[in-house]
Amino acid sequence: MKPMTIRPILTVPNKILKQVSKPVEKVTDETRALMDDMLETMYDAPGIGLAAVQIGVPLNIIVMDLAKEGEDPAPRYFVNPEILELEDEQKPYEEGCLSVPDVYEDVDRSIRVKLKYLDYHGKEITEWADDLYAVCIQHEMDHLKGVLFIDYLSRLKRNRAVKKVQKAEKLNAVGA
Ligand code: K1U
Ligand code: ZN
């Protein structure tokens, strides 16, 4: 078995984050090795979700773990996820993104979505997601379309967010 690797997470304004990801043809050992790396990278960050494009691989793959502190890990894997139904009712949730570190803003999302995806073993799953699961899957599926949560903000707020990330990275680079 290949050892798991923590991969660098791309941050805005990296153009790769705007790419539309491609479907996975078949869930293979290579796909699973990528999902293992994604999960390790997400836990290390730490975060509750990660799309493959965030580590520079534009494929329709998402990992997630919504376990609360003190609970056992509960990793979830989504290959080629599709939204089949969206509840009309929306609710705001203060979202963050590992590609836009230290920026948190309210985004309106459907409170419930019906999903279809392939799991870690390539088995097709259809299920409803609600609460944080619904928020997180919609956020991650946006990544697969090249959409970031800051794209829902005003231009002013979006530009401020990108500048904040760039400034923090510049300061980190000089070790300040
Ligand atoms: O970058 C990402 O897509 C991951 C993102 C997922 C997300 C969070 C909140 C709402 C929607 C989607 C994150 O994980 S940001 C970090 C975060 O939420 C968190 C980090 C540590 C502990 C608990 C939460
Ligand atoms: Zn994100």
Side-chain angles (χ1 to χ4, degrees):
M1 202 185 94
K2 181 187 153 297
M4 286 184 239
T5 311
I6 294 166
R7 314 251 202 124
I9 297 176
L10 307 180
T11 54
V12 286
N14 193 311
K15 285 201 176 73
I16 295 172
L17 291 167
K18 302 307 293 175
Q19 281 189 24
V20 177
S21 293
K22 295 212 155 53
V24 173
E25 279 188 19
K26 192 171 181 258
V27 180
T28 62
D29 286 346
E30 200 187 335
T31 321
R32 281 184 278 273
L34 171 62
M35 293 195 281
D36 292 344
D37 283 359
M38 288 171 63
L39 199 74
E40 199 70 0
T41 303
M42 185 195 81
Y43 284 144
D44 177 69
I48 56 172
L50 191 76
V53 69
Q54 292 179 273
I55 58 165
V57 182
L59 287 174
N60 287 341
I61 302 176
I62 290 165
V63 296
M64 195 183 292
D65 191 333
L66 303 176
K68 298 192 185 79
E69 235 182 273
E71 289 181 357
D72 287 342
R76 303 174 196 229
Y77 307 89
F78 306 85
V79 177
N80 298 340
E82 287 173 51
I83 290 184
L84 303 178
E85 286 179 56
L86 275 168
E87 192 100 17
D88 287 340
E89 188 184 341
Q90 294 197 327
K91 222 167 92 174
Y93 187 88
E94 191 178 66
E95 298 191 8
C97 181
L98 300 173
S99 296
V100 195
D102 298 318
V103 173
Y104 300 90
E105 293 284 351
D106 272 1
V107 176
D108 286 323
R109 305 269 189 195
S110 292
I111 59 162
R112 206 161 170 260
V113 296
K114 191 177 183 184
L115 293 174
K116 187 170 100 173
Y117 60 92
L118 302 177
D119 71 5
Y120 193 81
H121 304 287
K123 184 178 164 214
E124 190 178 295
I125 310 281
T126 303
E127 67 191 10
W128 282 92
D130 54 19
D131 300 320
L132 184 56
Y133 184 15
V135 172
C136 196
I137 196 69
Q138 289 173 82
H139 174 114
E140 300 306 333
M141 286 184 68
D142 269 354
H143 276 300
L144 308 184
K145 293 177 267 171
V147 175
L148 297 167
F149 84 107
I150 55 170
D151 294 332
Y152 296 109
L153 309 179
S154 66
R155 187 153 22 142
L156 181 70
K157 278 192 169 179
R158 186 166 55 250
N159 289 342
R160 271 197 196 141
V162 175
K163 285 211 177 91
K164 181 178 175 179
V165 173
Q166 287 179 305
K167 189 176 169 190
E169 284 177 357
K170 239 182 224 162
L171 286 172
N172 273 343
V174 293

